[in-house]
Amino acid sequence: MLVLGGGIRGGVTVDAVISLLLEDLLDPSGRGLDAACLAGATQDMKGRVRGMPRYMGGGMAALTVLFVANGYTRRPKEKRVAQIEQWRTSPVSLQRDFVEFWEKMGTFTYWSRVEKAVH
Amino acid sequence: MTAHVLAQGGHDVLVVEEGDHVPVGATEPYSLEDMDLKWRNGGLTPAFGPVKVTYVEGKCVGGASEINAALYHPPVPSVLDQWAKDYGIADFGGGILARHIEAVEKEASVSPFPGSPGIASERLAAGAASLGWKSVPVQRFWKYDATNPLGRRQSMTETYLPRATASGARIESGLKVKKLVFQGRRAVGAVATDRDGRRVDIRCERVVVCGGAVQTALILRRSGHTRGIGDTLSMNPMIRVAAEFDDRINEPEVGVPVQQIEAFKPSMTLGCSNGTLAHLALWLVGAPGNREEMLAEWWRLGVFYAKVMAKARGKVRNLPGFDEAFVYFKLDKADLELLGLAAERLATVLFASGARAIVSPVPGQGYLRSKADIPGLRAGVTAGKAQVTAIHLHSTVPMGSEQRGCPADAYGKLRGLENVWVNDASLLPDTPGINPQGTILAIARRNAEKMLG
């Protein structure tokens, strides 16, 4: 269950879903990301979705719920990565767009955090 | 510009801006913080259509001048003359705008990059020269002095807005104009909301809308003035690629490298783009191999662009129940073919400049490692598979004659209304094919002087 308010109530928080999604997209082989930068990028991505035009933000939230609905967060990493690949190559453009958005913006926010940490 | 000219001319001027006042230097250009504070929707502004196109808009005091690369091109007289003819714009053309162009160059400190324009620019210039293509380091709205050799951006908050306030103009930031209020054919004010969503009523005698091509059209349409508004949006689509070199190409201290290839202007421009670590990472998405290892040697990576003048036109609409603009833009086949050709030429000049590999913007294509790989890139872009971004949005309220269907007259005054003007990029009847800030400012200066009477 995705708890959109952010608290844990026998379910998974939005933060946890975003963090896992970024981890799988940015580091599919599991070599390891910087934990502080990942945490920062997770917050940044929440802000990105909130800042989207409303007619897009609602759709993005709905797609995220759909993406995690089949137990994504409980699966082992290799199966999560496989699910992402399935959406990436899906004939449904909305699914491909979903992966593209999280991968590109996730990459940008994560490396923004790395850049900030370096400086 | 408009506030400056009108306030200096003795008018009581109130500038209303939705975004915040973020001084130049308060944020790192193109950083996440910069995007959050100055860019509309944090930079997530898409145009819908068969090919997805993302564009950016400034949402801050000073608008786009605060977030762009500050590149300056003098308006091209022949283009202005052609607009005068094609759109029936009276008292307009290269000769008429000349004194305004000269004034803008002086008032906004248009300057060449002092000394060497940097390694990326030099490499691109050498590559272009080897192909017989003309390239130049473009001037910028930038001021240099002995205490700051890297200089300072001369955006609106550094130039015309301080002059406007010195002449008595007031600036209200954080106020979003929802719509104009009319009594008959006269605008008598505007309804706005503050940062907390509270309604603010503004009374005025005259209105000049300068919200940029999308927001200007949106405000007018929300106000019930829709005829010819937001129907002819033009923009310059572009393809960006990351390229890897054997040695240093990236110098963050230089900012956006200023070299541009002019050989194919106005229909096509090739140049350097912003190459911070986060932007490099973004343009490496989809590239095979270890991104961390590549980024560890970020100084060997650069981002470059190919931009074209699209013939297609888009639309700006206000969706019922939503606050934001809905932008539709359909790149046509000819535009995509031109973009494919531009991508081919960009790859050609990058290899000629010493690039070892180019990350293809076409998903699944990986790297281009030699000229033999270029046709695949062109085919992918032409087929609309590559990610397309766009800059330089114009033409949503084109000026010109009534016979040509232009909603604004030769000086930006809206037809059918007694006291509403537009004076921004929306007025340009077409894309000028160059970085447009100089053209927009010169036209705005001319029009504002006319408003003084």
Side-chain angles (χ1 to χ4, degrees), chain B residues 99-149:
Chain B
R99 75 177 174 88
H100 299 290
I101 295 165
E102 200 180 314
V104 166
E105 290 178 356
K106 194 176 163 196
E107 291 164 359
S109 303
V110 170
S111 313
F113 199 95
S116 161
I119 298 169
S121 289
E122 285 174 357
R123 295 291 284 268
L124 195 69
S130 74
L131 296 166
W133 297 352
K134 186 188 172 193
S135 76
V136 294
V138 176
Q139 297 189 87
R140 297 191 293 179
F141 294 96
W142 220 266
K143 191 185 264 182
Y144 302 93
D145 58 48
T147 60
N148 186 3

Side-chain angles (χ1 to χ4, degrees), chain A residues 25-27 31-33 44 48-49 51-56 97 100-101 103-105 107-116 118, chain B residues 30-32 35-36 41-42 44 46 48 52 276-279 281-282 285 290-293 295 319 321-327 387:
Chain A
L25 280 162
L26 274 57
D27 183 29
R31 295 157 66 107
L33 296 171
D44 293 337
R48 301 283 104 186
V49 175
M52 276 180 166
R54 268 201 307 136
Y55 55 78
M56 281 173 65
D97 292 347
E100 187 185 336
F101 167 78
E103 183 167 38
K104 288 195 168 160
M105 285 315 299
T107 299
F108 184 77
T109 52
Y110 176 79
W111 283 96
S112 291
R113 289 284 176 166
V114 172
E115 196 164 30
K116 209 168 174 181
V118 169
Chain B
Y30 307 103
S31 67
L32 209 54
M35 291 162 73
D36 282 338
N41 300 119
L44 292 172
F48 293 88
K52 284 193 301 289
T276 63
L277 194 61
H279 284 266
L282 177 64
V285 168
N290 188 310
R291 196 182 298 150
E292 284 75 11
E293 280 176 12
L295 289 170
L319 293 179
F322 291 100
D323 221 17
E324 297 98 345
F326 181 83
V327 176
Q387 183 176 336

Side-chain angles (χ1 to χ4, degrees), chain B residues 6-7 9-14 167-170 204-206:
Chain B
L6 295 182
H11 287 273
D12 178 18
V13 176
L14 174 66
S167 301
R170 290 159 295 146
C204 58
E205 289 176 12
R206 294 201 278 183

Side-chain angles (χ1 to χ4, degrees), chain B residues 203-227:
Chain B
R203 308 291 294 177
C204 58
E205 289 176 12
R206 294 201 278 183
V207 177
V208 187
V209 188
C210 306
V214 173
Q215 300 306 315
T216 288
L218 186 67
I219 290 169
L220 293 173
R221 292 189 67 89
R222 274 202 302 243
S223 308
H225 196 77
T226 57
R227 193 170 176 195

Side-chain angles (χ1 to χ4, degrees), chain B residues 148-173:
Chain B
N148 186 3
L150 288 175
R152 188 173 174 89
R153 166 195 293 274
Q154 294 300 289
S155 57
M156 293 305 103
T157 54
E158 293 279 310
T159 54
Y160 291 106
L161 284 169
R163 290 188 185 113
T165 52
S167 301
R170 290 159 295 146
I171 301 170
E172 288 286 347
S173 59

Side-chain angles (χ1 to χ4, degrees), chain A residues 4-60:
Chain A
L4 288 171
I8 298 176
R9 261 197 339 238
V12 181
T13 62
V14 171
D15 283 17
V17 170
I18 294 176
S19 178
L20 208 55
L21 198 50
L22 295 187
E23 212 178 310
D24 292 342
L25 280 162
L26 274 57
D27 183 29
S29 55
R31 295 157 66 107
L33 296 171
D34 181 279
C37 292
L38 179 62
T42 299
Q43 297 309 313
D44 293 337
M45 285 303 290
K46 272 171 76 178
R48 301 283 104 186
V49 175
R50 263 193 234 114
M52 276 180 166
R54 268 201 307 136
Y55 55 78
M56 281 173 65
M60 185 56 68

Side-chain angles (χ1 to χ4, degrees), chain B residues 281-363:
Chain B
L282 177 64
W283 296 107
L284 288 177
V285 168
N290 188 310
R291 196 182 298 150
E292 284 75 11
E293 280 176 12
M294 289 185 77
L295 289 170
E297 296 192 1
W298 57 266
W299 60 86
R300 296 197 297 109
L301 300 167
V303 181
F304 301 85
Y305 72 86
K307 168 176 77 74
V308 302
M309 278 172 75
K311 294 251 185 309
R313 295 297 182 117
K315 291 185 188 303
V316 177
R317 291 291 181 266
N318 47 322
L319 293 179
F322 291 100
D323 221 17
E324 297 98 345
F326 181 83
V327 176
Y328 180 82
F329 195 84
K330 183 185 177 186
L331 278 174
D332 64 23
K333 197 172 166 225
D335 292 331
L336 282 169
E337 277 173 5
L338 188 61
L339 206 51
L341 175 61
E344 178 183 284
R345 285 177 174 162
L346 179 62
T348 302
V349 75
L350 287 176
F351 282 128
S353 305
R356 169 203 283 188
I358 299 167
V359 179
S360 173
V362 179

